Amino acid sequence: MTQPTFFIPHGGGPCFFMDPSDPDRPHSDPMWHPMQEYLAGLIAGLPERPRAILLVSGHWEEAAFTVHGGEGPPLFFDYHGFPPHTYQLRWDAPGAPDLAHRAADLLHDAGFATREETARGWDHGVFIPMKVALPDADIPIAQLSLRHDLDSAAHIAAGRALAPLRDEGVLIIGSGMSFHNLRVRGPQAIAPSTAWDDALIKAVTDPDPQARAIRVAAWDQLPHARFAHPREEHLLPLMVALGAGGDDAATCTHRSSVMGWSVSGYRFG
């Protein structure tokens, strides 16, 4: 059965695990609850359990698309200024080297320069949302980098190249944030972030797949685009998920408000 693809919000730092005294909702701020609940239901809503996950995070960039082919990557705590216990979190999912090789081959065959590596740990764009979605850490994962030129069309094309994985039991996930401007939060963010998110939702859910790809690739022409993304690395995982989604229907599967930001998530297929 063909797996869908997703673009998910991964929150802010270790936001879902800020309060170690509460095992069910281990964070203190209820604004994160809707996002946590969305992520917690991600796998249960699939047509069947995936055999593996290919995840592209907004926190890893390389000159060429790079896949992590390690057997059991450590966690890379690439956030700063949080409570000490958040640097002792565990999430011990197995790596997926066979999937990493397969993804690299698909990208190479599509004309992309591609690298494989085994040394880097999983950044918080991987282990924070997946610790919520897969608390038992029982599905193998391979991570894919962004390309640091942040070319929207290239990331959509890379997603298209990876689409055959969906028929091989692989769930493709783009992990980022649909709004990512850390310099603004609170009431001043509400109106422009909502206008941006409204426009993004319309572009992503365009029923014409070709028009959808064109509109989303030109994301910086949408209202308040550079207010929402002074730099677009947290939006680029959406491009990969959209490309891999092909002609399948796109739906907005999550929308919540955190720190005055309107934040959305999407499913293709």
Side-chain angles (χ1 to χ4, degrees), residues 141-233:
I141 290 192
Q143 185 177 1
L144 171 68
S145 78
L146 299 175
R147 204 172 71 180
H148 73 47
D149 64 0
L150 304 182
D151 182 296
S152 297
H155 285 78
I156 292 173
R160 291 192 183 114
L162 295 166
L165 296 173
R166 298 174 57 198
D167 292 322
E168 300 170 16
V170 175
L171 178 65
I172 298 174
I173 297 177
S175 172
M177 288 286 278
S178 62
F179 184 97
H180 195 255
N181 183 347
L182 300 180
R183 295 191 295 270
V184 60
R185 60 192 68 187
Q188 62 181 327
I190 294 173
S193 74
T194 300
W196 151 259
D197 205 51
D198 287 343
L200 182 65
I201 290 170
K202 289 179 182 178
V204 174
T205 60
D206 190 314
D208 182 332
Q210 291 185 334
R212 176 196 310 160
I214 291 169
R215 293 174 68 182
V216 175
W219 68 273
D220 56 352
Q221 303 303 306
L222 298 177
H224 306 287
R226 284 298 176 186
F227 178 85
H229 291 278
R231 190 174 186 273
E232 59 267 37
E233 80 286 343

Side-chain angles (χ1 to χ4, degrees), residues 27-253:
H27 58 80
S28 57
D29 196 326
M31 73 177 175
W32 294 110
H33 291 181
M35 192 181 296
Q36 181 190 21
E37 290 166 1
Y38 166 67
L39 294 171
L42 201 69
I43 301 302
L46 295 174
E48 63 183 20
R49 191 172 177 82
R51 70 168 183 85
I53 294 171
L54 179 68
L55 190 146
V56 53
S57 162
H59 289 277
W60 186 21
E61 300 174 31
E62 297 287 349
F65 287 114
T66 303
V67 288
H68 190 295
E71 294 279 357
L75 303 188
F76 174 28
F77 295 101
D78 57 334
Y79 44 72
H80 308 282
F82 290 93
H85 77 271
T86 64
Y87 299 91
Q88 299 170 3
L89 296 173
R90 295 286 301 273
W91 190 70
D92 299 324
D98 290 348
L99 171 57
H101 299 328
R102 172 72 170 137
D105 286 345
L106 288 169
L107 289 167
H108 180 269
D109 291 348
F112 290 102
T114 310
R115 293 181 55 247
E116 297 184 48
E117 66 90 51
T118 59
R120 188 180 189 272
W122 281 328
D123 60 64
H124 77 274
V126 181
F127 74 84
I128 291 298
M130 290 295 98
K131 189 172 170 63
V132 177
L134 282 172
D136 294 331
D138 56 353
I139 297 178
I141 290 192
Q143 185 177 1
L144 171 68
S145 78
L146 299 175
R147 204 172 71 180
H148 73 47
D149 64 0
L150 304 182
D151 182 296
S152 297
H155 285 78
I156 292 173
R160 291 192 183 114
L162 295 166
L165 296 173
R166 298 174 57 198
D167 292 322
E168 300 170 16
V170 175
L171 178 65
I172 298 174
I173 297 177
S175 172
M177 288 286 278
S178 62
F179 184 97
H180 195 255
N181 183 347
L182 300 180
R183 295 191 295 270
V184 60
R185 60 192 68 187
Q188 62 181 327
I190 294 173
S193 74
T194 300
W196 151 259
D197 205 51
D198 287 343
L200 182 65
I201 290 170
K202 289 179 182 178
V204 174
T205 60
D206 190 314
D208 182 332
Q210 291 185 334
R212 176 196 310 160
I214 291 169
R215 293 174 68 182
V216 175
W219 68 273
D220 56 352
Q221 303 303 306
L222 298 177
H224 306 287
R226 284 298 176 186
F227 178 85
H229 291 278
R231 190 174 186 273
E232 59 267 37
E233 80 286 343
H234 273 66
L235 189 65
L236 266 291
L238 169 61
M239 311 299 172
V240 179
L242 182 151
D247 293 344
D248 287 353
T251 54
C252 178
T253 50

